[in-house]
Amino acid sequence: MRADPERDDPLRLIAQASDAGSRLDQVLTRRLTGRSRALIQKHIEAGAVFVNGARPKQGSKTKVRTGDRIDYVPPAPPPSNVTAEDIPLRILLEDDEILVLDKPKNLIVHPSSTRREGTLVAAVLHHLKREASANPRAGIVHRLDKDTTGVMIVAKTPFAEDKLAAAFRNRAVEKAYVAVVHGRPAPDDGTIETLFGRHPRARKRFSSRVEAGKVAITHYATAERFIGASLMHIRLETGRTHQIRVHFSDRGHPLIGDPVYGRRRRSQDPRVGAILNAFDRPALHARQLVFPHPSTGKSITVEAPLPSDLCTLIDQLRAWPALTP
């Protein structure tokens, strides 16, 4: 079942035994990422959800039974009318079809209810000399969290947008990251494969400890070990919201500086602890994207250098004796 909150494609799911007896809005909220329960309820009441081919008689309160077929046809999002803004961009690659950027920290991709200006979309519109856009995606086919740095690709034409969106859906894009996490994950190299969905109690967070959800797969390798932390090389096979942050946090190794999935921790050396606690964002960088060019199909590899704050963190940790195997 697809669950891309930025697309209005029809979605279908078959209720599982774990869904039986739950309210319709609760089932959809658990099974879909990127949509709030309030939005789900609004769409149910607007007639966007069908159970076994019919509108649910009790709306959001309808009890789901095992085997129920639930069809969800999200209404198209309203025009966002994003205005172009002169925000500097770090361009890694550009041609007639694509724009590949090195996204800095503290830059959100799309406007939100709390922040309408200073977005990556606005910066892209200015670079492309487009004054405003009624398309909330504006050619952006994937996202990074506000404080995650690194490679992002933007489609400059509708054709490129369709091709790149399909490449991401079909897992034809290789995504490599660098992260610094608390402690020492074991084993040193491995794969984390779980179900993935909204946290059952904290609805703004996600969890890999859910009974139903989408599959999330993270491959990792330990590059260096420090006192109290490890430098990780990560490859994503799937691209769920907050996937890396959640997978490592749920295994007791949250990313350094993560205010949502991490917490301040004591270190074997208080001076190292001070270094870790001073880092003010999740220590995560999208290092590389490998993707098929939308027009030629040729494999394109683009890398973004480590940002200065992450380089400084790693250098500070390297100043202390590394842990022995």
Side-chain angles (χ1 to χ4, degrees), residues 81-86 94-99 120-135 137-140 154-161:
N81 294 320
V82 180
T83 302
E85 296 178 56
D86 187 4
E94 183 174 15
D95 62 19
D96 291 340
E97 297 283 347
I98 59 174
L99 174 66
L120 183 64
V121 168
V124 168
L125 290 176
H126 182 272
H127 175 75
L128 298 179
K129 296 181 173 56
R130 299 172 185 171
E131 286 305 313
S133 174
N135 176 0
R137 293 192 294 274
I140 293 176
V154 179
K156 295 173 65 174
T157 67
F159 172 82
E161 183 173 344

Side-chain angles (χ1 to χ4, degrees), residues 149-216:
T149 57
V151 185
M152 276 199 65
I153 184 170
V154 179
K156 295 173 65 174
T157 67
F159 172 82
E161 183 173 344
D162 288 343
K163 287 288 189 178
L164 290 169
F168 275 95
R169 274 198 311 272
N170 298 329
R171 301 184 187 179
V173 179
E174 298 178 21
K175 297 164 281 187
Y177 290 75
V178 172
V180 183
V181 304
H182 283 280
R184 179 179 177 179
D188 293 337
D189 307 331
T191 295
I192 304 171
E193 181 172 352
T194 69
L195 293 178
F196 200 91
R198 287 200 176 270
H199 193 284
R201 293 181 299 278
R203 304 307 302 171
K204 293 184 178 180
R205 298 172 56 185
F206 294 86
S207 175
S208 64
R209 297 169 178 169
V210 293
E211 294 181 358
K214 299 176 74 69
V215 172

Side-chain angles (χ1 to χ4, degrees), residues 286-302:
R287 178 178 61 87
Q288 183 185 84
L289 277 181
V290 182
F291 58 93
H293 191 279
S295 292
T296 67
K298 179 182 177 181
S299 180
I300 304 294
T301 300
V302 184

Side-chain angles (χ1 to χ4, degrees), residues 1-3 7-13 35 48 70-74:
M1 173 185 176
R2 296 189 304 275
R7 300 188 71 85
D8 56 0
D9 301 330
L11 309 172
R12 171 173 288 183
L13 65 86
R35 290 184 172 93
I70 303 172
D71 291 298
Y72 178 24
V73 186

Side-chain angles (χ1 to χ4, degrees), residues 177-190 219-226 229-235 244 248 253 255 283-285 287:
Y177 290 75
V178 172
V180 183
V181 304
H182 283 280
R184 179 179 177 179
D188 293 337
D189 307 331
H219 306 284
Y220 71 90
T222 303
E224 289 187 63
R225 306 186 193 99
F226 313 111
S230 298
L231 176 64
M232 312 301 297
H233 287 174
I234 298 164
R235 183 171 63 84
I244 293 173
F248 281 94
H253 302 284
L255 270 62
L284 182 62
H285 175 70
R287 178 178 61 87

Side-chain angles (χ1 to χ4, degrees), residues 25 28 48 102 139 146 241 259 285:
D25 59 343
L28 286 172
D102 182 1
K146 176 173 73 74
T241 303
H285 175 70

